[in-house]
Amino acid sequence: MSTAEIARTVVGIIGNVIAGCMFLSPLPTFVGICKKGSVEQFSAVPYLATLMNCMVWTLYGLPMVHPHSTLVVTINGAGCVVEIIYLTLFLIYSDRKKRLKVFLGLLLELIFISLLSFVSLTMIHTVNKRSAVVGTICMLFNIGMYASPLSIMKMVIKTKSIEFMPFFLSLASFGNGVSWTIYALIPFDPFIAIPNGIGTMFAVVQLILYATYYKSTKEQIAARKNSKGEMNLSELVVVGISNGTATVQDNPNISKITTAPPIAK
């Protein structure tokens, strides 16, 4: 094995680790979704785009399409499993309208990858042509994956809040883009180098937005909590005190009575 091949393998392994971290980085987000029982304003688009990206790259890395790309298959195969889990949680915790959109997105992706696999493996008869066709499609979807947070980035700029743009996903995207760009230079593979170079730039923009709006996001969250606390207090009316315990109601019609803790004497 030549020095270049060793270097490529090492960088590819590093890329696998970083990409794995990128796939797992939304875990805190989904833990929060499960606890709240709702996806709130989180979008399924980045996860649909990542699943599509992983499926086409898994196809690209197969020996009959692009030989000597085992590391491409391993990480993208694992990515498919992780993204399917995330999208399943979206289906469980979304409202009916959003659930339908996610389901239709999944269905279209499965139909597309099935057709692409059939055409590339049965109707294109040389490895070079398969690599070119599948590689070009991979490049387009990879750019799509990296560009998928653009809608969220637009919301961040509009609201001056990064609350619904997971930080660790952006950071992992940056590391993933850098590592796979380097991997694609030993030797040069334009189908991997171009989209990951573009992806690195998108990730840099996201990190800049975090630095820009981190403080304003904290202020908005704090103001929202204070406002909620003041509203709750203003709605309570003391209607009587007995044995050091205050009985309160939340509206003049006494639709609900609550017992507060003993008042200190």
Side-chain angles (χ1 to χ4, degrees):
M1 184 179 287
S2 66
T3 303
E5 290 174 331
I6 293 173
R8 191 172 192 262
T9 300
V10 171
V11 174
I13 292 172
I14 294 172
N16 268 239
V17 173
I18 295 175
C21 292
M22 183 184 74
F23 293 142
L24 295 175
S25 61
L27 272 178
T29 298
F30 281 92
V31 169
I33 287 173
C34 291
K35 287 181 178 179
K36 295 177 181 178
S38 172
V39 297
E40 299 183 298
Q41 297 301 313
F42 289 105
S43 173
V45 172
Y47 307 103
L48 285 168
T50 303
L51 175 61
M52 188 72 254
N53 179 71
C54 288
M55 288 193 294
V56 292
W57 278 112
T58 300
L59 177 62
Y60 178 81
L62 294 177
M64 64 284 293
V65 178
H66 195 78
H68 312 297
S69 300
T70 303
L71 292 172
V72 175
V73 175
T74 55
I75 188 57
N76 285 288
C80 288
V81 174
V82 173
E83 298 305 320
I84 287 173
I85 293 173
Y86 291 156
L87 290 168
T88 299
L89 292 175
F90 256 94
L91 289 172
I92 294 171
Y93 294 111
S94 296
D95 57 41
R96 184 176 180 180
K97 184 177 180 180
K98 187 174 289 188
R99 186 180 296 122
L100 180 61
K101 289 182 178 179
V102 174
F103 177 78
L104 289 176
L106 274 171
L107 182 61
L108 289 173
E109 289 186 353
L110 291 174
I111 292 172
F112 178 84
I113 194 65
S114 298
L115 290 174
L116 178 62
S117 299
F118 176 78
V119 170
S120 60
L121 296 178
T122 62
M123 301 180 69
I124 303 175
H125 303 294
T126 66
V127 170
N128 289 336
K129 288 182 179 180
R130 287 173 186 162
S131 294
V133 172
V134 178
T136 299
I137 294 171
C138 285
M139 186 169 62
L140 296 175
F141 278 110
N142 206 6
I143 293 172
M145 182 195 75
Y146 283 121
S148 61
L150 283 175
S151 58
I152 302 299
M153 291 163 64
K154 180 180 178 181
M155 184 175 73
V156 168
I157 296 172
K158 184 178 180 180
T159 62
K160 294 180 171 37
S161 172
I162 56 171
E163 188 174 358
F164 294 104
M165 188 169 72
F167 171 74
F168 290 108
L169 181 58
S170 300
L171 183 61
S173 294
F174 172 75
N176 184 69
V178 171
S179 61
W180 285 104
T181 299
I182 296 173
Y183 174 87
L185 298 177
I186 321 170
F188 182 64
D189 185 335
F191 301 119
I192 297 178
I194 293 173
N196 282 287
I198 294 173
T200 301
M201 290 188 291
F202 278 129
V204 168
V205 173
Q206 291 176 52
L207 293 174
I208 291 173
L209 288 176
Y210 264 98
T212 303
Y213 296 116
Y214 179 82
K215 185 177 180 180
S216 63
T217 302
K218 291 293 184 182
E219 291 173 350
Q220 288 182 38
I221 294 174
R224 191 161 62 239
K225 288 181 178 179
N226 290 336
S227 176
K228 184 177 180 180
E230 291 173 0
M231 179 186 68
N232 291 339
L233 287 174
S234 66
E235 290 177 349
L236 299 178
V237 179
V238 177
V239 296
I241 298 178
S242 176
N243 296 323
T245 300
T247 302
V248 298
Q249 67 180 54
D250 60 357
N251 62 66
N253 296 320
I254 316 180
S255 60
K256 181 173 67 177
I257 301 293
T258 307
T259 302
I263 298 175
K265 296 181 179 178

